[in-house]
Amino acid sequence: MKNIVVSHKAIIGKNVHIGNFSTIEDDVVIGDNTWIGNNVNILNGTRISEGCQIHAGAILGGVPQDLKYKGEYTLLEIGDNTIIREFVTINKGTLSKGRTTIGNGNLIMANAHIGHDCFIGNNCIIGFNVGLAGEVIVGDWANISGFTAVHQFSIIGEHSMISGMSRIVKDIPPYILASKEPLSYYDLNLTGLKRRGFEQKKINELKDIYRIIFQEKRNITNALNLIEQNLEQTIERDIILNFIKRSTRGIIKGIMD
């Protein structure tokens, strides 16, 4: 290693590789078996767990791009086995939540930006050039395709997939494929669900739920009441119902004919 600046106050785990011209500031923790490429900047307040890859040009723990931020102490936390590709920028939190959180096993592709106080679950894919504004929540196994822009405070449900070059201004319920402009329910995320081991019976159940919500032209309140009264209570049914009931931005609509 040469031409690197690693603070003697930083806590560096075992078997950590740090590439040329990288900088690691004082208040940083890096877990075992993490690989850091060239020209990476890891800034104060960043916590990186074990087995991660941080590729060239990434900037982690930058100051929030929020005028309300006044230098308060906040964190960026990154879970195990997460891959962060070239030139990704991830800001730490503000007083709103105190931290930006990236879970385990995620792939964040080149040039993506994750804003302050976001929460990314586990095993997500954040595509090339995706931009997440502040306080976005992304559920486990979600897949956001390239060049997508996500409005602040939006929520993206677990196991959902968003088509490329999308504009997300409403919440995306779990298990679905969202596409078109304006962004709409297109179908279930069938490929993703089958890869995750969802059986056909469960897929049929999800289709029944979303047919009532998106395809039978009911208002949301009536659709949810009908589902509660007529469909068997399951974990997935209740995840969908609770997601929609708690949405403050409102959810996307069904595809227009």
Side-chain angles (χ1 to χ4, degrees):
M1 295 185 294
K2 56 185 178 180
N3 300 316
I4 64 173
V5 179
V6 179
S7 169
H8 70 278
K9 296 180 180 179
I11 299 173
I12 311 295
K14 299 176 181 178
N15 194 34
V16 172
H17 168 85
I18 302 173
N20 293 333
F21 304 104
S22 290
T23 300
I24 298 174
E25 294 190 335
D26 295 348
D27 183 22
V28 171
V29 178
I30 299 174
D32 297 346
N33 303 309
T34 288
W35 183 91
I36 298 168
N38 299 331
N39 298 291
V40 172
N41 287 276
I42 303 178
L43 308 179
N44 288 326
T46 301
R47 308 287 184 264
I48 300 172
S49 294
E50 298 183 2
C52 294
Q53 296 179 28
I54 316 295
H55 287 253
I59 303 175
L60 305 182
V63 171
Q65 298 175 58
D66 184 337
L67 294 175
K68 297 187 298 297
Y69 181 75
K70 303 301 180 184
E72 54 268 24
Y73 183 79
T74 58
L75 298 173
L76 164 62
E77 298 177 337
I78 298 172
D80 295 338
N81 303 309
T82 284
I83 299 172
I84 296 173
R85 293 304 303 259
E86 294 80 2
F87 303 106
V88 167
T89 57
I90 308 177
N91 294 157
K92 59 188 175 183
T94 68
L95 278 181
S96 174
K97 292 185 171 62
R99 68 196 65 233
T100 300
T101 303
I102 314 294
N104 301 320
N106 294 296
L107 169 58
I108 303 172
M109 295 186 187
N111 291 347
H113 172 73
I114 298 176
H116 65 87
D117 301 292
C118 285
F119 178 90
I120 312 298
N122 301 315
N123 304 300
C124 298
I125 298 176
I126 310 297
F128 173 77
N129 241 22
V130 167
L132 274 63
E135 305 199 46
V136 169
I137 297 174
V138 180
D140 295 348
W141 298 103
N143 186 333
I144 306 175
S145 299
F147 291 94
T148 292
V150 186
H151 195 282
Q152 64 194 45
F153 300 106
S154 297
I155 302 175
I156 299 170
E158 60 193 73
H159 294 280
S160 60
M161 182 168 184
I162 317 301
S163 65
M165 301 183 70
S166 293
R167 180 172 62 94
I168 298 177
V169 297
K170 296 286 188 178
D171 293 342
I172 311 295
Y175 311 114
I176 73 168
L177 170 62
S179 185
K180 305 294 183 180
E181 175 59 36
L183 192 65
S184 306
Y185 169 81
Y186 188 79
D187 199 348
L188 293 182
N189 178 18
L190 293 172
T191 299
L193 293 175
K194 289 175 181 177
R195 285 175 177 170
R196 303 281 74 79
F198 282 68
E199 297 180 352
Q200 190 61 47
K201 180 180 178 181
K202 182 59 64 177
I203 289 173
N204 291 341
E205 173 197 328
L206 297 175
K207 283 184 176 181
D208 288 341
I209 292 171
Y210 280 122
R211 184 186 68 251
I212 294 170
I213 294 171
F214 288 119
Q215 296 172 291
E216 294 187 353
K217 302 187 185 303
R218 305 173 186 274
N219 69 49
I220 291 296
T221 299
N222 290 340
L224 299 185
N225 287 338
L226 183 65
I227 292 166
E228 287 184 317
Q229 293 166 10
N230 293 280
L231 297 187
E232 177 185 358
Q233 183 176 13
T234 65
I235 292 172
E236 291 78 12
R237 189 205 76 161
D238 287 350
I239 286 173
I240 294 168
L241 293 178
N242 290 332
F243 182 98
I244 296 173
K245 289 177 181 179
R246 293 170 182 169
S247 173
T248 58
R249 297 188 59 79
I251 64 169
I252 59 173
K253 304 297 186 182
I255 215 90
M256 299 277 189
D257 293 329

